[in-house]
């Protein structure tokens, strides 16, 4: 009887220890996931609150109900600068249909003053870019999104879900019969209430130079 | 369409003098445009032996910085029978101007295939890898074994020693 009582106590202690260890491991796995998570297609991307070169504040939550095109860009990257020219041609048509375009600069050594000069005309188009560039200090949002290069584009639909991740287009010449503008195609589908047919594409670009 | 030019004399002479560099004697210093079919054919032709692929552009600072290392790698006897493919994604307007000028300045002895309307999706497919393994950030360098398996990759500046080290593991 005494032996059975001792065994019961041992089993109880082991159970408590086991549950405790399980909780510790569960917590570690959760923390690891949080560090390495890039948003999945079909899920809500991480929220942001970033300041534009004009001093205005912007958050993803404030844009609820509108398709949003987020473009990680850098004026230090020639490929991204070339992308801005093509994006500046594309944006107005869709902005008239309620789409929001926001560019995000996460490059560690581009201060807001330089971003402002670039956006207001010191760029390859020679004109003011038709969208705002937000400064992602410390590349916090690039980390949250898992953005690696510039240009790298994400599109959020009217329900706030990520529906596209990749390139502006398929890098063929616009006059090529095989030319596809992935962003324009995705926006057309979103505005027509259809699923995005090509939700992920690869994109050449410069690595984002991170502060940490 | 191709652009030919004469290599800068010192680099050209070194290239002729170093064994291994002469494996592409008639292609040295050439820019060739490559569409998706050409890329696929180049990779297919290289299978059966080790393959090193570098994707770069003259507008990419770390790519420019690693160029002397790639030239050294290409000239090294230790490269053995490994095929080296250089894919440039320079902008179309630079393929006949800035790119050959840069090659001449750097004494690049190997053929550079300027990708012509080949998105990363098609390039990774031709290489037998996925967008999860590489989604387009430059520079990118890959080492494949004779069976076409990716054995090493770098998404930052690579050195000749890095590449030779990776190849030595395949012998």
């Amino acid at each position: 009887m005494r032996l059975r009582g001792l065994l019961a106590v041992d089993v109880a202690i082991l159970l408590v220890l086991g549950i405790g260890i399980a909780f510790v491991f569960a917590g570690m796995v959760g923390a690891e996931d949080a560090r390495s998570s890039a948003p999945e297609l079909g899920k809500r991307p991480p929220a942001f609150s970033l300041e534009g070169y004009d001093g205005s504040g912007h958050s993803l939550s404030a844009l609820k109900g509108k398709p949003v095109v987020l473009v990680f860009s850098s004026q230090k990257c020639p490929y991204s600068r070339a992308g801005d020219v093509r994006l500046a041609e594309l944006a107005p048509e869709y902005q008239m249909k309620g789409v929001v375009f926001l560019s995000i600069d996460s490059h560690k050594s581009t201060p807001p003053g330089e971003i402002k000069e670039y956006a207001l005309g010191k760029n390859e188009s020679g004109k003011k870019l038709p969208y705002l560039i937000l400064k992602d200090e410390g590349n916090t949002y690039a980390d949250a999104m898992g953005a690696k290069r510039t240009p790298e584009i994400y599109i959020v639909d009217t329900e706030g879900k990520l529906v596209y991740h990749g390139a502006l287009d398929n890098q063929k010449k616009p006059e090529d019969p095989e030319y596809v503008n992935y962003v324009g195609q995705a926006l057309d589908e979103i505005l027509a209430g259809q699923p995005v047919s090509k939700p992920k594409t690869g994109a050449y670009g410069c690595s984002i130079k991170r502060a940490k | 369409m191709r652009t030919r030019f004469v290599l800068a004399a010192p680099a050209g002479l070194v290239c002729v003098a170093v064994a291994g560099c002469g494996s592409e004697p008639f292609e040295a210093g050439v820019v060739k445009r490559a569409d998706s079919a050409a890329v696929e054919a180049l990779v297919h032709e290289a299978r059966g032996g080790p393959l090193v692929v570098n994707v770069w552009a003259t507008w990419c600072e770390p790519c420019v910085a690693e160029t002397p290392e790639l030239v050294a790698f290409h000239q090294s006897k230790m490269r053995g029978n490994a095929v080296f493919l250089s894919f440039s994604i320079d902008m179309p307007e630079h393929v006949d101007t800035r790119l050959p000028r840069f090659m001449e300045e750097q004494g690049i002895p190997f053929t550079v295939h300027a990708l012509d309307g080949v998105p990363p999706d098609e390039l990774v497919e031709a290489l037998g890898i996925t967008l999860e393994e590489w989604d387009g950030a430059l520079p990118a360098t890959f080492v494949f074994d004779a069976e076409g398996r990716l054995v090493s990759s770098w998404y930052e500046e690579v050195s000749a020693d890095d590449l030779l080290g990776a190849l030595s593991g395949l012998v």
Side-chain angles (χ1 to χ4, degrees):
Chain A
M1 186 72 181
R2 184 179 169 76
L3 185 62
R4 283 172 67 184
L6 281 172
L7 274 174
V9 170
D10 287 346
V11 168
I13 290 170
L14 285 171
L15 269 174
V16 170
L17 278 173
I19 291 168
I21 290 168
F23 268 113
V24 169
F25 273 100
M28 285 170 70
V29 170
E32 182 63 33
D33 284 348
R35 278 197 300 273
S36 61
S37 63
E40 285 177 41
L41 289 165
K43 302 274 177 69
R44 288 178 192 281
F48 66 75
S49 180
L50 300 170
E51 199 169 286
Y53 64 75
D54 60 354
S56 59
H58 297 266
S59 66
L60 194 54
S61 56
L63 301 171
K64 196 175 174 186
K66 296 178 180 175
V68 181
V69 178
L70 298 173
V71 185
F72 283 88
S73 66
S74 172
Q75 60 187 286
K76 308 282 185 188
C77 172
Y79 214 65
S80 181
R81 294 177 74 104
D84 270 328
V85 175
R86 287 176 291 152
L87 200 64
E89 289 169 1
L90 180 84
E93 176 190 343
Y94 290 98
Q95 286 168 327
M96 286 171 65
K97 296 174 182 172
V99 178
V100 176
F101 285 73
L102 288 171
S103 188
I104 299 171
D105 184 304
S106 305
H107 193 282
K108 69 175 180 181
S109 57
T110 311
E114 277 183 29
I115 293 173
K116 186 174 183 176
E117 282 180 10
Y118 174 78
L120 293 182
K122 211 172 165 182
N123 58 67
E124 274 70 2
S125 73
K127 301 174 193 164
K128 180 184 176 186
L129 296 175
Y131 43 82
L132 211 52
I133 303 177
L134 314 178
K135 183 62 191 175
D136 175 26
E137 292 286 358
N139 48 262
T140 309
Y141 196 57
D143 289 350
M145 290 292 277
K148 298 187 190 76
R149 60 176 186 274
T150 58
E152 184 165 359
I153 298 175
Y154 296 84
I155 302 180
V156 180
D157 70 3
T158 51
E159 293 175 14
K161 291 174 183 168
L162 185 68
V163 290
Y164 178 77
H165 175 204
L168 174 64
D169 56 27
N170 65 350
Q171 264 118 56
K172 299 190 189 296
K173 297 182 188 89
E175 58 273 22
D176 189 322
E178 289 182 26
Y179 177 81
V180 182
N181 188 301
Y182 294 136
V183 171
Q185 179 177 275
L187 290 174
D188 287 340
E189 289 166 343
I190 291 167
L191 293 169
Q194 297 167 352
V196 174
S197 55
K198 194 165 176 66
K200 186 163 174 61
T201 61
Y204 297 119
C206 310
S207 300
I208 293 174
K209 305 296 179 293
R210 287 173 144 80
K212 54 184 185 298
Chain B
M1 182 172 174
R2 66 169 47 182
T3 304
R4 274 190 182 275
F5 62 92
V6 179
L7 275 176
L13 289 173
V14 168
C15 183
V16 169
V18 176
C21 175
S23 58
E24 297 177 45
F26 302 106
E27 301 293 343
V30 169
V31 178
K32 284 183 180 176
R33 289 181 192 264
D35 59 13
S36 297
V39 170
E40 209 168 303
L42 283 165
V43 174
H44 181 74
E45 196 180 326
R47 294 294 187 216
L51 168 64
V52 177
V53 175
N54 176 249
V55 193
W56 68 290
T58 57
W59 49 255
C60 159
E61 286 177 26
C63 305
V64 170
E66 71 179 358
T67 298
E69 291 292 322
L70 294 169
V71 172
F73 165 71
H74 185 266
Q75 291 178 325
S76 172
K77 289 177 186 173
M78 292 165 69
R79 177 164 68 94
N81 66 338
V83 173
F84 178 63
L85 290 177
S86 171
F87 291 124
S88 155
I89 58 160
D90 271 272
M91 291 160 206
E93 62 269 30
H94 293 153
V95 170
D96 294 324
T97 52
R98 180 173 166 163
L99 179 56
R101 195 163 58 237
F102 176 81
M103 290 174 67
E104 187 172 5
E105 287 164 3
Q106 296 281 329
I108 291 177
F110 45 77
T111 302
V112 173
H113 304 276
L115 297 184
D116 189 5
V118 183
D121 315 50
E122 291 176 14
L123 183 55
V124 297
E125 195 178 332
L127 293 173
I129 57 176
T130 64
L131 285 175
E132 277 65 41
E133 285 166 304
W134 179 62
D135 60 1
L138 299 188
T141 308
F142 309 95
V143 174
F144 298 91
D145 67 11
E147 280 72 45
R149 287 186 293 253
L150 179 65
V151 291
S152 297
S153 55
W154 295 265
Y155 306 112
E156 55 193 359
E157 286 173 44
V158 71
S159 71
D161 286 345
D162 289 334
L163 296 172
L164 293 171
L167 288 176
S168 69
L170 298 180
V171 176

